[in-house]
Amino acid sequence: MNSAAAGVLVLAGTPIGDPADAPPRLRTELAGADVVAAEDTRRLRRLTQALDVEVSGRVVSYFEGNEAGRTPELVEALLGGARVVLVTDAGMPSVSDPGYRLVAAAVEQGIPVTAVPGPSAVLTALAVSGLPVDRFCFEGFLPRKAGERTARLREVAADRRTLVYFEAPHRIADALTAMAEVFGAERRAAVCRELTKTYEEVRRGPLAELAGWAAEGVRGEITVVVEGAPEPGPADLEPAELVRRVAAREAAGERRKEAIAAVAVEAVLRGHHRVEDLALGQPGLD
């Protein structure tokens, strides 16, 4: 369709705790919206009171239970030229919150979609976790059922990226216990609770230790950051990877014999290879 006459869908990030973190544009968008679709209209009212902003447009609810039915209504308003602002309880719409269905429908109709960047529990937790943040994977909420949860964790057990999860207070102990079983008891993690709020708390330690702590009961909004899988040592590697490591040492200036010896020693120290297997028996290393 021709989107020239269409309105705009605005995904507005909201504070994850402290209202003072709200970006100035959030006030502008809420005040100027033709329609504000809110995950919880009561929370929206508290937020607008805290921001001292008056919403003059129509306010409708848009949550998991009604988003399928309400999406066509909002798309119709957008096609009619309305500026629709979507807000969820905290953070960015569509990120483990309602929004994806409406965004997909708007894109399909050629309706412009933009966003008001705001606080993010994912990025905030990563920043304070003390774990590597150069590469990470957001996994959202784990399945409620134990078997499905374990299966999901196994899918990423070997992922070297830092992993980020959301979890409910009443399930956090079980989730951490499952992580310790699948990822290993000593895998480092951080449980970030009530970020930016009065009782903010960040617990760091091995997964098994954190699971024991959580067994006593944890309250509040929770984000879990888990260290990625360790890089495998030479003993855990396929012959092709051993060849690659030798080649990398050669490229760095080592002589071939020295490079082979260095990789072999690393493997022998792990107790899984003999020097002659690496230096003579592997393709490309003789």
Side-chain angles (χ1 to χ4, degrees), residues 35-37 58-62 66-82 84 102 105 111:
V35 180
V36 176
R58 182 164 60 99
V59 175
V60 299
S61 63
Y62 189 80
N66 76 349
E67 61 178 324
R70 180 138 284 170
T71 293
E73 173 190 331
L74 293 174
V75 170
E76 184 178 354
L78 287 162
L79 290 173
V84 175
L102 180 56
I111 298 167

Side-chain angles (χ1 to χ4, degrees), residues 135-241:
R135 298 176 66 223
F136 66 90
C137 176
F138 174 57
E139 285 288 302
F141 285 94
L142 286 167
R144 290 178 172 83
K145 295 182 178 179
E148 295 176 3
R149 180 173 56 223
T150 298
R152 181 74 60 81
L153 291 172
R154 284 175 177 164
E155 290 177 3
V156 295
D159 198 320
R160 297 182 195 173
R161 295 173 296 179
T162 297
L163 305 170
V164 185
Y165 295 90
F166 287 161
E167 194 50 272
H170 62 282
R171 293 197 301 268
I172 185 61
D174 289 340
L176 289 169
T177 298
M179 289 178 187
E181 292 173 352
V182 176
F183 297 156
E186 295 303 312
R187 182 86 72 91
R188 294 186 302 162
V191 178
C192 307
R193 186 180 70 84
E194 294 290 89
L195 288 170
T196 78
K197 299 178 183 177
T198 301
Y199 298 104
E200 175 178 297
E201 180 181 20
V202 180
R203 284 269 181 167
R204 305 175 182 87
L207 281 168
E209 178 183 305
L210 292 172
W213 162 76
E216 300 176 5
V218 181
R219 295 182 179 180
E221 300 286 338
I222 299 169
T223 305
V224 182
V225 184
V226 184
E227 181 180 36
E231 184 175 354
D236 305 312
L237 301 176
E238 295 297 322
E241 176 62 15

